[in-house]
Amino acid sequence: NAGVTQTPKFQVLKTGQSMTLQCAQDMNHNSMYWYRQDPGMGLRLIYYSASEGTTDKGEVPNGYNVSRLNKREFSLRLESAAPSQTSVYFCASRGIGGNYEQYFGPGTRLTVT
Amino acid sequence: GEDVEQSLFLSVREGDSSVINCTYTDSSSTYLYWYKQEPGAGLQLLTYIFSNMDMKQDQRLTVLLNKKDKHLSLRIADTQTGDSAIYFCAESMRGAGANNLFFGTGTRLTVIP
């Protein structure tokens, strides 16, 4: 099992450009999440998907859109990138029951100039 | 609301014990977690504690939970250089979205040889 994978690992965008961050999990998990990590601010939830076919806003959704393409894949789109979106983006997934542990991908480091 | 706080930095000498502290505000938390993030990597679950427990021990790790004071701590015994990382506490509340996690700011532990 690869767990949670994310592409790309690094990306540099110019202000106004668009891009999609990809995430996939092979653990048959129902719930998937997108976070951003900024120094001194921990992880903040952007969007989540409780199950295939549903998506909901998290704490900081402005400037982002998501698609839960199928049970495995959950993508994050920046339509018009801004310097404030420079961050490290993490995708995570979680199965049903248990201790609600989330499994994280390795992250995408995005710089917007 | 959810507000999870940690101090940002901690330095200890190799072989000493490290204690990382966390306070949270929501008393309806069901599980509390400690995640570890090594440089350039995603988060990995270190340990967790159910909210009806006071203490959990797992090899060199001891988690203490004081529900009255809403205080969580992680003690690492015999700290090694490989323990240098950022440690995040997080809480999960039943019914919060897809059992969403709320993360603290992270504590960067530096182990001095």
Side-chain angles (χ1 to χ4, degrees), chain A residues 15-60:
Chain A
T15 297
Q17 288 185 315
S18 62
M19 80 160 295
T20 300
L21 282 64
Q22 306 287 354
C23 174
Q25 51 89 12
D26 61 2
M27 296 175 281
N28 201 35
H29 284 169
N30 286 332
S31 302
M32 297 185 74
Y33 309 82
W34 276 105
Y35 294 91
R36 59 178 289 173
Q37 181 182 22
D38 301 294
M41 300 189 76
L43 274 76
R44 292 181 292 168
L45 184 65
I46 304 171
Y47 270 94
Y48 65 95
S49 171
S51 60
E52 189 179 354
T54 70
T55 61
D56 284 285
K57 294 178 181 179
E59 182 185 354
V60 288

Side-chain angles (χ1 to χ4, degrees), chain A residues 99-100, chain B residues 24 26-33 48-56 63-68 71-72 91-94:
Chain A
N99 64 9
Y100 306 131
Chain B
Y24 59 99
D26 199 311
S27 58
S28 63
S29 297
T30 52
Y31 286 95
L32 295 119
Y33 309 81
Y48 67 94
I49 188 166
F50 189 52
S51 57
N52 68 354
M53 297 169 65
D54 298 323
M55 185 180 89
K56 180 178 180 181
V63 179
L64 294 178
L65 175 60
N66 181 330
K67 285 195 74 174
K68 175 175 168 290
H71 184 264
L72 181 74
E91 57 176 342
S92 173
M93 285 162 282
R94 196 189 309 275

